[in-house]
Amino acid sequence: MAEKLLIPLYDNDVAPRFDLATEVCIVNIVRRPDGTSRADEKVVVLPEASADELCQLIIADGMDAVICSAIEEEYHQYLTWKKVAVFDNVLGPVDKVLQRFLEGDLESGSTLFPNSND
Amino acid sequence: MESLGTITGLTFEQLNLAPFLDEVPVGLAVLDGNGRVLLVNRAYKTLVGFGTEDVRGLPCLHALRCRFCLQGCRVLKGIREFEPVTRETDIINIDRQRIPIRLTVAPIHDAEGNPSGYLETVQDMRQITELSSQASRAYSLGGLVGNSPEMEKIFQMLPGIARTDSSVLITGETGTGKDVLAEVIHQNSDRANGPFVKVNCGALPETLLESELFGHTKGAFTGAVEDKPGRFRMAHGGTLFLTEIGDLPIPLQVKLLSFLDDKVIYPLGSTSGFHADVRVICATHRNLREMVKEKRFREDLLFRLNVVRFHLPPLRERGEDIGLLVNHFLSTFNERFHKDIKGFSDRAKRRLALYRFPGNVRELRNIIEYAVNFCREHEIRLSHLPEYLADVEAETAIASPAEAEREASGLPAGDTPSTWEGLEKRMIMDALFRAGGRKGRAAEILGWGRSTLWRKMKTHGLSE
């Protein structure tokens, strides 16, 4: 089973703002029958920071889920209406966030920076 | 010698700042030298959604999620020494609301003057932003109604002025809405939850007025059987609205000036002062500059009150607002008196359009209230208007031979204006005819400025 995941980037962290991100990490996840997963990542540089354009990219490329930090209600509703799972208010390095997602334990509101309680 | 602002000893003790900072009504975040969050206060949590327990140790960028932080943050750029920076920007809180804020970032230095951290203040600007937006697109704000350039200017100014604590002077003829404007300023200020106390400075003799304003102690004069708080004290934390300020006696002008300077009032018979946290708004229909020349008003007080001045134009100068106000009051009184009046007959409209309303908006309001009261039909006709307006028709008949001539010339009988715009156009044409084509004279006849006449002629397609 394959999944496509998008994470707005700020350096190596989940970008603080969905609407202001200029880079995104697109992850193709293949879940193997033995329970393990393989994640193939690529970074895409966007022409400009735009929540509208980002939503179009997410829908056009068939993303299954979005992991982000701050996102406006308008865009959150749009994506969920389009059957995209949204994990918002997630703070932390992309590697840790992705690992948590693959483990099935990621929730909206998770904080995964070093020294955080999550 | 210890320098001003430096506290020695205290910085070497364990400090629990949280209870203190939680009482500050503005969002605050204390950051370490690397821009990581040490502490945020209650107002910050209310606004942003994250408390100290959520973001301690995190880069502030990820706690506040502010536009400016992503685009221009000096802390992120590693700049340690800079003057406090203030920006209008926005955040998105954990409830997914985008909130306009005013952000200030300032370095914190230790006792030796070395940078040791940063202080962020975050002020919620939603109310101001909403007011500015409202004022820029609406013709109504609070109880004020208008769409003329003069009123639009007031609507533009009002949101910003309301949020300051400056004294305000409102001028304008009787009945132009000065009281309404004062209350709107109060309701849109930070003092909206405080009292709004109104005093008419022309209503009482000097001695009683002084007692009324500043209060008195028991025994201060014959009849002072108990302590009495003055209006200044009653307005503490709110707004004191002084109407007819031009009628304030000179000695009380001196006392008012003293209060405006130091915010302390001294009740009659008392030797101790009371610090009154009061914003003062004044209003007058008089020409205070002329009164200063005549030595009937103190120049220094005029300067002190004139920090911000609003001038409300007379209704006759608000052209297109008359129709707007008529409809507004018609709607108001329809609702109040449970009526269903649709509008005005052509003759009634004409009568109203020709009247100069010396009593301004208040008079117009009274006329509409009268008419709605007496009308038992779906349309207000001439007979429903106050009888004193009948003089207008008589004057028009005498002063408008042009109209009779036009009727005799065989103009289409059905060509009667049925809108306020049509009536106004007719007024302009009549005035131009009476003035022999001289626009200056026509403007005088209409009671307008030349620029107003020019603008309206252009609007109605009457320009040459």
Side-chain angles (χ1 to χ4, degrees), chain A residues 10 13-17 19-20 69-73 76 88-91 111 113-117, chain B residues 50 53-56 58-59 61-63 65-67 70-71 76 90-96 98:
Chain A
Y10 182 84
D13 302 326
V14 177
R17 291 269 291 259
D19 57 322
L20 299 180
S69 184
I71 182 172
E72 277 185 87
E73 182 69 26
H76 184 276
D88 67 329
N89 291 310
V90 174
L91 283 61
T111 302
F113 276 107
N115 302 322
S116 66
N117 296 326
Chain B
F50 292 128
E53 66 279 8
D54 303 309
V55 294
R56 181 185 288 115
L58 267 60
L61 180 74
H62 293 276
R65 300 170 324 170
C66 164
R67 183 181 298 268
L70 283 159
Q71 297 167 343
L76 285 181
D90 60 53
I91 63 170
I92 297 177
N93 68 8
I94 64 169
D95 295 323
R96 309 190 190 108
R98 183 146 68 96

Side-chain angles (χ1 to χ4, degrees), chain B residues 257-362:
Chain B
L257 185 61
S258 176
F259 168 78
L260 293 173
D261 285 340
D262 60 23
K263 300 295 182 182
V264 176
I265 62 169
Y266 293 88
L268 288 174
S270 173
T271 56
S272 61
F274 169 77
H275 188 278
D277 178 23
V278 173
R279 182 182 195 179
V280 175
I281 299 177
C282 298
T284 183
H285 67 280
R286 301 188 185 280
N287 186 328
L288 295 184
R289 293 187 188 280
E290 285 300 316
M291 294 183 71
V292 167
K293 293 178 183 177
E294 298 164 2
K295 307 295 184 183
R296 292 191 292 127
F297 199 85
R298 291 180 61 98
E299 184 175 39
D300 49 1
L301 179 57
L302 175 57
F303 289 156
R304 195 64 177 79
L305 294 174
N306 216 17
V307 177
V308 175
R309 181 181 175 191
F310 286 100
H311 180 71
L312 288 167
L315 186 56
R316 61 183 178 274
E317 293 181 8
R318 290 175 56 184
E320 61 265 36
D321 282 350
I322 295 177
L324 196 63
L325 285 160
V326 166
N327 292 330
H328 169 74
F329 290 134
L330 179 61
S331 176
T332 298
F333 293 119
N334 261 336
E335 182 177 356
R336 181 177 301 178
F337 300 135
H338 307 291
K339 296 208 172 179
D340 189 26
I341 299 169
K342 303 300 185 186
F344 294 77
S345 70
D346 289 345
R347 291 187 71 194
K349 287 179 183 177
R350 178 181 174 80
R351 179 71 56 83
L352 290 173
L354 289 173
Y355 189 60
R356 290 175 58 83
F357 298 101
N360 293 297
V361 178
R362 181 185 296 127

Side-chain angles (χ1 to χ4, degrees), chain B residues 94-112:
Chain B
I94 64 169
D95 295 323
R96 309 190 190 108
Q97 297 173 300
R98 183 146 68 96
I99 301 174
I101 64 165
R102 177 180 292 139
L103 174 72
T104 300
V105 184
I108 299 173
H109 299 91
D110 62 22
E112 286 73 45

Side-chain angles (χ1 to χ4, degrees), chain B residues 432-444:
Chain B
L432 285 168
F433 185 86
R434 278 185 271 163
R438 289 174 292 153
K439 295 185 179 63
R441 174 59 185 151
E444 289 178 13

Side-chain angles (χ1 to χ4, degrees), chain B residues 142-442:
Chain B
L144 295 171
V145 176
N147 201 26
S148 61
E150 295 82 1
M151 294 305 294
E152 283 184 351
K153 181 179 177 183
I154 290 174
F155 291 146
Q156 290 288 338
M157 289 174 60
L158 199 149
I161 298 301
R163 303 293 288 197
T164 71
D165 225 23
S166 303
S167 300
V168 175
L169 176 62
I170 304 172
T171 58
E173 293 181 6
T174 298
T176 49
K178 299 187 292 294
D179 289 20
V180 175
L181 177 55
E183 188 140 16
V184 169
I185 292 170
H186 170 75
Q187 291 298 337
N188 288 283
S189 73
D190 289 332
R191 298 174 178 270
N193 293 327
F196 178 77
V197 178
K198 178 180 172 183
V199 178
N200 184 332
C201 299
L204 295 172
E206 179 178 341
T207 51
L208 288 179
L209 183 58
E210 181 173 11
S211 172
E212 186 72 11
L213 283 173
F214 300 101
H216 65 253
T217 58
K218 178 180 178 181
F221 52 83
T222 303
V225 296
E226 60 184 7
D227 288 351
K228 178 183 177 182
R231 296 303 184 108
F232 274 97
R233 185 154 191 157
M234 292 169 66
H236 182 67
T239 301
L240 181 68
F241 177 41
L242 301 175
T243 71
E244 309 298 347
I245 192 65
D247 294 334
L248 192 68
I250 295 290
L252 295 186
Q253 292 179 25
V254 176
K255 292 194 73 169
L256 176 59
L257 185 61
S258 176
F259 168 78
L260 293 173
D261 285 340
D262 60 23
K263 300 295 182 182
V264 176
I265 62 169
Y266 293 88
L268 288 174
S270 173
T271 56
S272 61
F274 169 77
H275 188 278
D277 178 23
V278 173
R279 182 182 195 179
V280 175
I281 299 177
C282 298
T284 183
H285 67 280
R286 301 188 185 280
N287 186 328
L288 295 184
R289 293 187 188 280
E290 285 300 316
M291 294 183 71
V292 167
K293 293 178 183 177
E294 298 164 2
K295 307 295 184 183
R296 292 191 292 127
F297 199 85
R298 291 180 61 98
E299 184 175 39
D300 49 1
L301 179 57
L302 175 57
F303 289 156
R304 195 64 177 79
L305 294 174
N306 216 17
V307 177
V308 175
R309 181 181 175 191
F310 286 100
H311 180 71
L312 288 167
L315 186 56
R316 61 183 178 274
E317 293 181 8
R318 290 175 56 184
E320 61 265 36
D321 282 350
I322 295 177
L324 196 63
L325 285 160
V326 166
N327 292 330
H328 169 74
F329 290 134
L330 179 61
S331 176
T332 298
F333 293 119
N334 261 336
E335 182 177 356
R336 181 177 301 178
F337 300 135
H338 307 291
K339 296 208 172 179
D340 189 26
I341 299 169
K342 303 300 185 186
F344 294 77
S345 70
D346 289 345
R347 291 187 71 194
K349 287 179 183 177
R350 178 181 174 80
R351 179 71 56 83
L352 290 173
L354 289 173
Y355 189 60
R356 290 175 58 83
F357 298 101
N360 293 297
V361 178
R362 181 185 296 127
E363 183 180 11
L364 175 62
R365 183 181 188 277
N366 292 342
I367 289 170
I368 304 305
E369 182 173 7
Y370 178 98
V372 171
N373 257 314
F374 282 93
C375 179
R376 300 185 186 279
E377 305 161 23
H378 289 295
E379 186 181 62
I380 292 174
R381 294 185 286 103
L382 206 57
S383 59
H384 300 125
L385 297 177
E387 290 185 4
Y388 74 84
L389 293 181
D391 292 341
V392 174
E393 190 68 22
E395 290 172 7
T396 302
I398 294 170
S400 300
E403 182 174 4
E405 179 178 328
R406 194 161 42 250
E407 288 179 356
S409 70
L411 288 174
D415 186 18
T416 56
S418 60
T419 65
W420 288 110
E421 292 75 12
L423 287 169
E424 188 174 69
K425 183 175 180 180
R426 173 66 64 86
M427 288 170 58
I428 295 170
M429 293 172 69
D430 289 348
L432 285 168
F433 185 86
R434 278 185 271 163
R438 289 174 292 153
K439 295 185 179 63
R441 174 59 185 151

